[in-house]
Amino acid sequence: MSGDLDLAADVLVVGGGLAATWTALAAAQAGGAVVLADKGYCGTSGVTATAGVTHWFVPPERHEEAVAQRHAHAGGLADPEQALRVLRTTWERLPTLDKYYPFPVRDGQPDRTNNVRGPEYLRAMRGLIHRAGVRILDHHPALELLLRPDGSAGGAAGVRRQAGGSWRVRAGAVVLATGGTAFRSNLLGSRGNTGDGHLMAVEAGARLSGLEFSNYYTLAPAYSTMARSMSYLFGTYTDVDGAEIALPPGPDRNRVLGAALLRGPVFTTLDRTPEWVRRKMPVVQPNFLLPFARRGIDPYTDRFEVTLLGEGTIRGVGGLVVTGPDCTTDVPGLFAAGDVASRVPVVGAISGGGSPNSAWAVSSGTWAGRAAVRHARSAGSAPLHAVGRAGIRPSGRTATVDTAGVVDVVREELNAYNKNMFRDAPGLRASLSTLDPLWTIVEGGLTGTGRDAVTARETASLVAMGRWVKKAALRRPETRGMHWRTDDPAWKEAVA
């Protein structure tokens, strides 16, 4: 059905991935009337849909030990109590999926820690929220938030990508669960993750934190977007001449690989992969092997070229500041769940990729969904006004902006190893000298209608996020966690 759509709800969830569906489920179970608006098709969009998912799912008697182990490497920035809350909520919530997802059985009990296939997981979550009464709006990208006169969030508006026209949802509370952004690095599943939620929230008055911790990279075949970090732990790495590259354990592996890639091509053979991993891979992550099968490569015996794909704020940890235990933001009535929110309190300055991020999606979605319903019950009706600017309402005269060219610049500045993995003050200032004028052009002249409005907004969000990352990285002159400042004396000592 074409035409404009105008709906009312207690809670509007913006997004359609893991955090969004857990949010919608919690809100519906709390008695709220819930609408979920997804840029793509809920259940297939986002990075989880292409992954083999693990959860930080730990028995209660081991919670403090698990937190202590991770926080020993967190750069002193994590909050143990917040991490414990994540573990407690995940332990409570994840078993509710038992009836709907066929977890593998180990020692007579469901194994909820590993071996969760993303496509089936999200299909189960879509079914759950549908049965809970959530109204799902597929292919309804949000463009901007709607605020009440007092500055509180009262809904959002966007485009009906397939049906045509526009949509608006008036809501007592809004939860952003739009994910992080990989800055169009070609990371599988991340194309739609462009930072839209971050820009919408900042325009409404929210703050960001931890964006300097956004330069995590994941290995992939040089000819593929299939990035899967675990399998590459078992590789033997060589340069173009066949000389082996010695890799240290932990996050310094990427530092050594990044430096090697700046010198020339890098190759690997996954010859050290245990037999039990080889047997499980086709079951847990069947798409991992597809790029090799198509080229007639046996990754366990054949040498193939690799690259590092940027994961930005997806396996990075920066995002919207949550100001309370229920994932509230600085904007009353606006909540954040999943990768759009800062995970620094949970994991500190190191990547939360994998099990902590999945547990954060479950727990933050649960907290935000329940709290949004409570807030909605006290929210009164009031006229709403839209606050979207860049890409929607340009500040200057409308001009032709080459969106593809703009995105290419952002990709280069936010993914190139020598500009984003290895950072120093001159390099960060050089990136900003490129991105700041680009923002002036985008903010001043970029706009569009229909599907072009989505492209305009995505472009504006990518530029905005790129600038914020570089500014945050420049303001932290030290090396800490995944944020590597090569002009920090401590860095030079560490790599000497």
Side-chain angles (χ1 to χ4, degrees), residues 81-132:
E81 184 53 41
Q82 182 76 318
L84 286 169
R85 289 185 68 234
V86 169
L87 286 174
R88 293 177 193 132
T89 302
T90 305
W91 185 259
E92 165 207 336
R93 293 290 281 167
L94 196 56
T96 64
L97 199 61
D98 286 357
K99 294 181 181 179
Y100 308 99
Y101 180 86
F103 289 105
V105 175
R106 178 182 296 177
D107 299 328
Q109 297 295 324
D111 179 8
R112 307 183 189 94
T113 305
N114 299 301
N115 306 331
V116 183
R117 288 168 56 145
E120 287 86 348
Y121 187 178
L122 285 180
R123 185 182 305 129
M125 291 302 299
R126 180 185 175 97
L128 270 173
I129 66 173
H130 176 73
R131 285 188 290 274

Side-chain angles (χ1 to χ4, degrees), residues 84-416:
L84 286 169
R85 289 185 68 234
V86 169
L87 286 174
R88 293 177 193 132
T89 302
T90 305
W91 185 259
E92 165 207 336
R93 293 290 281 167
L94 196 56
T96 64
L97 199 61
D98 286 357
K99 294 181 181 179
Y100 308 99
Y101 180 86
F103 289 105
V105 175
R106 178 182 296 177
D107 299 328
Q109 297 295 324
D111 179 8
R112 307 183 189 94
T113 305
N114 299 301
N115 306 331
V116 183
R117 288 168 56 145
E120 287 86 348
Y121 187 178
L122 285 180
R123 185 182 305 129
M125 291 302 299
R126 180 185 175 97
L128 270 173
I129 66 173
H130 176 73
R131 285 188 290 274
V134 175
R135 179 163 183 178
I136 303 171
L137 302 179
D138 294 312
H139 304 291
H140 279 60
L143 297 180
E144 59 184 334
L145 290 173
L146 307 176
L147 300 186
R148 299 183 178 90
D150 64 359
S152 63
V159 171
R160 307 184 75 190
R161 191 194 295 269
Q162 292 188 338
S166 62
W167 64 266
R168 183 177 79 147
V169 175
R170 292 163 284 116
V174 179
V175 183
L176 291 174
T178 50
T181 176
F183 299 103
R184 291 281 169 85
S185 69
N186 291 326
L187 177 74
L188 186 65
S190 72
R191 183 170 179 80
N193 291 41
T194 49
D196 313 359
H198 300 82
L199 180 57
M200 284 189 280
V202 169
E203 289 173 335
R207 291 176 297 148
L208 298 161
S209 175
L211 288 185
E212 65 270 36
F213 306 118
S214 58
N215 55 339
Y216 188 90
Y217 288 74
T218 303
L219 276 157
Y223 48 81
S224 172
T225 62
M226 182 56 63
R228 289 292 174 266
S229 57
M230 189 271 284
S231 302
Y232 289 94
L233 294 175
F234 306 111
T236 298
Y237 294 86
T238 55
D239 62 20
V240 69
D241 297 320
E244 185 169 348
I245 301 169
L247 296 181
D252 278 349
R253 289 170 58 89
N254 277 0
R255 171 182 60 79
V256 175
L257 284 169
L261 282 162
L262 285 172
R263 295 191 297 270
V266 171
F267 301 83
T268 190
T269 304
L270 305 182
D271 54 339
R272 300 174 184 174
T273 307
E275 185 58 37
W276 69 269
V277 174
R278 300 187 191 195
R279 289 196 309 269
K280 281 191 172 291
M281 191 58 65
V283 177
V284 180
Q285 295 184 348
N287 52 1
F288 170 75
L289 294 171
L290 286 177
F292 301 112
R294 288 170 178 162
R295 288 178 174 248
I297 293 173
D298 181 347
Y300 305 120
T301 59
D302 298 337
R303 185 172 179 250
F304 60 95
E305 188 176 350
V306 295
T307 188
L308 285 165
L309 297 179
E311 298 229 22
T313 64
I314 294 174
R315 282 186 185 257
V317 294
L320 295 172
V321 172
V322 290
T323 59
D326 295 328
C327 292
T328 54
T329 70
D330 298 292
V331 181
L334 181 66
F335 302 80
D339 290 352
V340 73
S342 173
R343 284 134 288 152
V344 170
V346 180
V347 297
I350 59 175
S351 174
S355 57
N357 270 10
S358 299
W360 171 249
V362 175
S363 56
S364 64
T366 297
W367 304 334
R370 292 170 177 172
V373 172
R374 291 195 297 269
H375 181 90
R377 287 170 179 159
S378 62
S381 60
L384 302 175
H385 64 280
V387 295
R389 296 190 295 275
I392 301 176
R393 299 176 187 88
S395 62
R397 294 181 178 179
T398 302
T400 300
V401 177
D402 177 11
T403 54
V406 169
V407 171
D408 282 345
V409 172
V410 174
R411 286 182 61 193
E412 168 65 18
E413 298 300 326
L414 273 298
N415 289 295

Side-chain angles (χ1 to χ4, degrees), residues 443-466:
E443 192 271 339
L446 181 59
T447 188
T449 58
R451 293 186 180 185
D452 288 341
V454 179
T455 300
R457 193 61 162 163
E458 287 180 336
T459 303
S461 300
L462 286 166
V463 178
M465 283 290 285

